[in-house]
PDB file of all heavy atoms in Angstrom:
ATOM      1  N   THR A 403      -1.553   8.572  12.223  1.00 95.00           N
ATOM      2  CA  THR A 403      -0.143   8.930  12.013  1.00 95.00           C
ATOM      3  C   THR A 403       0.126  10.395  12.312  1.00 95.00           C
ATOM      4  O   THR A 403       1.212  10.747  12.764  1.00 95.00           O
ATOM      5  CB  THR A 403       0.327   8.623  10.573  1.00 95.00           C
ATOM      6  OG1 THR A 403      -0.369   9.439   9.636  1.00 95.00           O
ATOM      7  CG2 THR A 403       0.129   7.163  10.247  1.00 95.00           C
ATOM      8  N   TYR A 404      -0.844  11.264  12.087  1.00 95.00           N
ATOM      9  CA  TYR A 404      -0.601  12.696  12.326  1.00 95.00           C
ATOM     10  C   TYR A 404      -0.370  12.967  13.811  1.00 95.00           C
ATOM     11  O   TYR A 404       0.569  13.663  14.195  1.00 95.00           O
ATOM     12  CB  TYR A 404      -1.772  13.537  11.807  1.00 95.00           C
ATOM     13  CG  TYR A 404      -2.206  13.178  10.416  1.00 95.00           C
ATOM     14  CD1 TYR A 404      -3.505  12.770  10.144  1.00 95.00           C
ATOM     15  CD2 TYR A 404      -1.296  13.232   9.359  1.00 95.00           C
ATOM     16  CE1 TYR A 404      -3.893  12.428   8.857  1.00 95.00           C
ATOM     17  CE2 TYR A 404      -1.678  12.891   8.073  1.00 95.00           C
ATOM     18  CZ  TYR A 404      -2.987  12.485   7.828  1.00 95.00           C
ATOM     19  OH  TYR A 404      -3.368  12.131   6.576  1.00 95.00           O
ATOM     20  N   ASP A 405      -1.258  12.415  14.649  1.00 96.00           N
ATOM     21  CA  ASP A 405      -1.132  12.650  16.092  1.00 96.00           C
ATOM     22  C   ASP A 405       0.062  11.905  16.685  1.00 96.00           C
ATOM     23  O   ASP A 405       0.675  12.382  17.646  1.00 96.00           O
ATOM     24  CB  ASP A 405      -2.418  12.230  16.809  1.00 96.00           C
ATOM     25  CG  ASP A 405      -3.561  13.197  16.537  1.00 96.00           C
ATOM     26  OD1 ASP A 405      -3.279  14.322  16.070  1.00 96.00           O
ATOM     27  OD2 ASP A 405      -4.725  12.826  16.771  1.00 96.00           O
ATOM     28  N   LEU A 406       0.382  10.737  16.120  1.00 97.00           N
ATOM     29  CA  LEU A 406       1.569  10.023  16.583  1.00 97.00           C
ATOM     30  C   LEU A 406       2.833  10.816  16.230  1.00 97.00           C
ATOM     31  O   LEU A 406       3.738  10.963  17.054  1.00 97.00           O
ATOM     32  CB  LEU A 406       1.639   8.631  15.955  1.00 97.00           C
ATOM     33  CG  LEU A 406       0.652   7.596  16.495  1.00 97.00           C
ATOM     34  CD1 LEU A 406       0.604   6.374  15.578  1.00 97.00           C
ATOM     35  CD2 LEU A 406       1.018   7.162  17.910  1.00 97.00           C
ATOM     36  N   ALA A 407       2.880  11.351  15.019  1.00 97.00           N
ATOM     37  CA  ALA A 407       4.082  12.070  14.560  1.00 97.00           C
ATOM     38  C   ALA A 407       4.354  13.303  15.415  1.00 97.00           C
ATOM     39  O   ALA A 407       5.511  13.632  15.687  1.00 97.00           O
ATOM     40  CB  ALA A 407       3.935  12.454  13.097  1.00 97.00           C
ATOM     41  N   SER A 408       3.300  13.974  15.854  1.00 96.00           N
ATOM     42  CA  SER A 408       3.482  15.197  16.638  1.00 96.00           C
ATOM     43  C   SER A 408       3.618  14.906  18.124  1.00 96.00           C
ATOM     44  O   SER A 408       3.795  15.821  18.921  1.00 96.00           O
ATOM     45  CB  SER A 408       2.284  16.115  16.424  1.00 96.00           C
ATOM     46  OG  SER A 408       1.106  15.513  16.946  1.00 96.00           O
ATOM     47  N   ALA A 409       3.503  13.624  18.524  1.00 96.00           N
ATOM     48  CA  ALA A 409       3.586  13.162  19.912  1.00 96.00           C
ATOM     49  C   ALA A 409       2.367  13.594  20.739  1.00 96.00           C
ATOM     50  O   ALA A 409       2.395  13.502  21.966  1.00 96.00           O
ATOM     51  CB  ALA A 409       4.881  13.602  20.584  1.00 96.00           C
ATOM     52  N   GLU A 410       1.300  14.023  20.077  1.00 97.00           N
ATOM     53  CA  GLU A 410       0.051  14.272  20.809  1.00 97.00           C
ATOM     54  C   GLU A 410      -0.563  12.956  21.265  1.00 97.00           C
ATOM     55  O   GLU A 410      -1.253  12.892  22.278  1.00 97.00           O
ATOM     56  CB  GLU A 410      -0.943  15.015  19.919  1.00 97.00           C
ATOM     57  CG  GLU A 410      -0.687  16.506  19.844  1.00 97.00           C
ATOM     58  CD  GLU A 410      -1.501  17.156  18.740  1.00 97.00           C
ATOM     59  OE1 GLU A 410      -2.703  16.848  18.638  1.00 97.00           O
ATOM     60  OE2 GLU A 410      -0.913  17.951  17.991  1.00 97.00           O
ATOM     61  N   LEU A 411      -0.333  11.912  20.489  1.00 97.00           N
ATOM     62  CA  LEU A 411      -0.777  10.561  20.848  1.00 97.00           C
ATOM     63  C   LEU A 411       0.480   9.729  21.048  1.00 97.00           C
ATOM     64  O   LEU A 411       1.385   9.756  20.203  1.00 97.00           O
ATOM     65  CB  LEU A 411      -1.638   9.975  19.716  1.00 97.00           C
ATOM     66  CG  LEU A 411      -2.150   8.548  19.896  1.00 97.00           C
ATOM     67  CD1 LEU A 411      -3.166   8.471  21.033  1.00 97.00           C
ATOM     68  CD2 LEU A 411      -2.791   8.045  18.597  1.00 97.00           C
ATOM     69  N   GLU A 412       0.535   8.981  22.176  1.00 97.00           N
ATOM     70  CA  GLU A 412       1.782   8.272  22.486  1.00 97.00           C
ATOM     71  C   GLU A 412       1.616   6.764  22.540  1.00 97.00           C
ATOM     72  O   GLU A 412       2.505   6.049  23.001  1.00 97.00           O
ATOM     73  CB  GLU A 412       2.351   8.782  23.814  1.00 97.00           C
ATOM     74  CG  GLU A 412       2.747  10.250  23.726  1.00 97.00           C
ATOM     75  CD  GLU A 412       3.373  10.759  25.009  1.00 97.00           C
ATOM     76  OE1 GLU A 412       2.993  10.279  26.093  1.00 97.00           O
ATOM     77  OE2 GLU A 412       4.249  11.637  24.915  1.00 97.00           O
ATOM     78  N   TYR A 413       0.460   6.266  22.079  1.00 96.00           N
ATOM     79  CA  TYR A 413       0.246   4.825  22.074  1.00 96.00           C
ATOM     80  C   TYR A 413      -0.686   4.471  20.917  1.00 96.00           C
ATOM     81  O   TYR A 413      -1.369   5.337  20.365  1.00 96.00           O
ATOM     82  CB  TYR A 413      -0.349   4.361  23.408  1.00 96.00           C
ATOM     83  CG  TYR A 413      -1.666   5.037  23.731  1.00 96.00           C
ATOM     84  CD1 TYR A 413      -2.874   4.458  23.345  1.00 96.00           C
ATOM     85  CD2 TYR A 413      -1.706   6.271  24.387  1.00 96.00           C
ATOM     86  CE1 TYR A 413      -4.077   5.087  23.614  1.00 96.00           C
ATOM     87  CE2 TYR A 413      -2.896   6.905  24.658  1.00 96.00           C
ATOM     88  CZ  TYR A 413      -4.083   6.299  24.264  1.00 96.00           C
ATOM     89  OH  TYR A 413      -5.262   6.938  24.515  1.00 96.00           O
ATOM     90  N   ILE A 414      -0.687   3.179  20.583  1.00 96.00           N
ATOM     91  CA  ILE A 414      -1.624   2.684  19.567  1.00 96.00           C
ATOM     92  C   ILE A 414      -2.918   2.307  20.287  1.00 96.00           C
ATOM     93  O   ILE A 414      -2.904   1.462  21.187  1.00 96.00           O
ATOM     94  CB  ILE A 414      -1.042   1.447  18.849  1.00 96.00           C
ATOM     95  CG1 ILE A 414       0.259   1.806  18.124  1.00 96.00           C
ATOM     96  CG2 ILE A 414      -2.057   0.862  17.869  1.00 96.00           C
ATOM     97  CD1 ILE A 414       0.119   2.721  16.935  1.00 96.00           C
ATOM     98  N   PRO A 415      -4.045   2.928  19.951  1.00 94.00           N
ATOM     99  CA  PRO A 415      -5.297   2.629  20.652  1.00 94.00           C
ATOM    100  C   PRO A 415      -5.690   1.157  20.501  1.00 94.00           C
ATOM    101  O   PRO A 415      -5.343   0.509  19.510  1.00 94.00           O
ATOM    102  CB  PRO A 415      -6.326   3.527  19.951  1.00 94.00           C
ATOM    103  CG  PRO A 415      -5.527   4.549  19.219  1.00 94.00           C
ATOM    104  CD  PRO A 415      -4.221   3.932  18.897  1.00 94.00           C
TER     105      PRO A 415
END
Side-chain angles (χ1 to χ4, degrees):
T403 65
Y404 312 122
D405 288 344
L406 286 167
S408 65
E410 279 168 45
L411 178 67
E412 296 183 328
Y413 58 92
I414 298 291

